[in-house]
């Protein structure tokens, strides 16, 4: 309380006249005053921060507080009423995420455009699912040694009328934040089951197809019962479906126990399980032994400098560990013949990447695997 009171006084004292200072809620304050230029506003932010920490020092408390400011200048905004200006200052404030990064941010229109676009995506998604605007592409995976088809990964695309094909990098984070991603994951899963069931009825060869699972599936109640029902309804063999989870599902200690149970349950009902994007973020080797995982997908960042002996050593250690833990290894994002040669020598099992094929729409994928097979058989005969 003493700090909040002192800070309110600091805000008033350091600002030019006339000024209006108000405490909005908790530790959020509003300051309104006329200004000449933006540099001047930065100077005020710095003065506030200095004075705030000066107050603390004078109380012999030796910690630092970070002051974060979202600034909306009237001339940068398309609004002139106070509430809209305040909203915009808040938008700017929310873009300051990282500790230690710049402690103030000016509002600009792109922030609002981005927010509106995200909101729009979120609202349109449900209708888009019903209208079949989401398409499931499949990218093939191949055994490194024999170059035979090892399976595929289902990757979603949003074919938005008027906007063209939007890649998941753009809409998945938005859907994750709003919790709507589970509906999309279920949709992709069902499309894959329908396809696997169809192939089986047509007596065509089937192979494992993996489906990405977002982190929110592990936060709320289990998705598994629903997935089992969907797979069985479409007569897809459960052991032909692999669920990919990324390391970010393990973010909290509490979650680790939950995820562990969930992964065990995934196996108990006959699905396979892969760890996706291994190597990005906080990869921990101890996680590998904790979880019962069938395949380890190493992120493409590993394979960008295979000329470097250290890189090769790291990869080789991970491959060896995976082998000892009885996991299949998959190299992601492989684009060149040289990478394939290195990976073969290092003992990686499977590769996925543009070298073989980009993710393809289902019909194209079927055609592709057939043609690839024919070329392969022909090469073998020759
Ligand atoms: P991911 O699961 O790691 O998928 C691999 C990504 O790498 C795909 O990007 C794929 O197109 C791309 N890729 C494959 N080969 C190459 C290559 O040789 N070079 C390069 N530069 N890239 C390659 P995409 O399709 O844009 O997907 C991005 C991410 O979005 C996926 O990463 C996955 O985490 C997520 N995602 C995709 N579909 C779904 C879905 O249905 N549900 C959920 N929850 N996430 C999905
Ligand atoms: Mg994946
Ligand atoms: Mg990946």
């Amino acid at each position: 309380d003493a700090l909040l009171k002192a800070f309110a006084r600091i805000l008033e004292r350091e600002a030019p006249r006339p000024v209006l200072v108000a405490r909005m809620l908790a530790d959020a304050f509003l300051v309104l005053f006329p200004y000449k230029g933006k540099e001047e506003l930065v100077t005020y932010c710095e003065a506030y921060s200095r004075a705030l920490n000066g107050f603390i020092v004078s109380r012999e408390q030796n910690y630092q507080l970070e002051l974060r400011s979202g600034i909306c200048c009237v001339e940068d905004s398309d609004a002139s009423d106070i509430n809209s200006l305040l909203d915009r200052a808040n938008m700017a404030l929310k873009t300051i995420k990282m500790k230690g990064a710049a402690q103030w941010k000016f509002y600009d229109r792109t922030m609002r455009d981005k927010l509106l676009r995200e909101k729009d995506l979120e609202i349109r998604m449900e209708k888009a699912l019903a209208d079949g605007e989401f398409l499931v592409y499949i990218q093939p995976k191949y055994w490194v040694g024999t170059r035979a088809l090892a399976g595929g990964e289902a990757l979603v695309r949003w074919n938005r009328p008027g906007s063209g094909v939007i890649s998941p990098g753009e809409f998945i984070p938005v859907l994750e934040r709003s919790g709507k991603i589970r509906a999309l994951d279920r949709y992709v899963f069902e499309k894959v089951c329908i396809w696997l069931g169809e192939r089986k009825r047509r007596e065509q060869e089937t192979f494992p197809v993996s489906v990405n699972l977002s982190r929110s599936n592990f936060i709320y109640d289990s998705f598994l019962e629903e997935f089992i029902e969907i797979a069985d309804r479409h007569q897809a063999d459960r052991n032909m479906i692999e669920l990919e989870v990324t390391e970010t599902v393990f973010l909290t200690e509490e979650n680790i126990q939950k995820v562990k149970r969930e992964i065990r349950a995934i196996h108990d009902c006959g699905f396979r399980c892969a760890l996706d994007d291994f190597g990005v973020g906080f990869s921990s080797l101890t996680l590998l032994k904790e979880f019962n995982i069938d395949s380890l997908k190493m992120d493409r960042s590993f394979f960008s400098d295979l000329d470097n002996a250290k890189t090769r050593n790291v990869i080789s250690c991970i491959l060896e560990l995976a082998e000892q833990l009885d996991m299949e290894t998959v190299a992601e994002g492989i684009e060149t013949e040289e990478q394939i040669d290195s990976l073969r020598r290092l003992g990686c099992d499977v590769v996925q990447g543009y070298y073989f094929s980009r993710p393809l729409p289902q019909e194209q994928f079927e055609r592709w695997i057939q043609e690839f097979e024919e070329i392969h058989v022909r090469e073998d005969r020759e």
Side-chain angles (χ1 to χ4, degrees), residues 139 153 156-157 168 172 185 212 276-277 300 332 335 354:
Q139 187 176 34
E153 175 174 10
V156 73
R157 299 287 179 268
I172 283 188
D185 283 352
N212 291 281
D276 199 3
D277 301 335
R300 72 191 172 93
E332 290 191 284
E335 297 181 349
Y354 295 169

Side-chain angles (χ1 to χ4, degrees), residues 139 153-157 167-169 172 176 181 184-185 188 211-215 217 244 246 276-277 297 299-300 332-335 352-355 357-359:
Q139 187 176 34
E153 175 174 10
L155 293 157
V156 73
R157 299 287 179 268
S167 72
I172 283 188
E176 269 178 343
I181 186 73
L184 182 71
D185 283 352
V188 173
V211 176
N212 291 281
L213 270 189
S214 147
R215 184 159 93 80
N217 289 293
E244 292 192 5
T246 59
D276 199 3
D277 301 335
K297 300 193 76 179
D299 188 69
R300 72 191 172 93
E332 290 191 284
I334 300 306
E335 297 181 349
Q352 175 181 351
Y354 295 169
Y355 174 77
S357 166
R358 288 180 177 258

Side-chain angles (χ1 to χ4, degrees), residues 50 73 88 110 119 142 156 179 267 309 330 341 364 377:
R50 254 195 322 273
C73 294
R88 284 156 177 71
T110 58
K119 202 74 213 159
Y142 289 92
V156 73
H267 279 119
V330 183
D341 280 342
Q364 271 186 44
V377 169

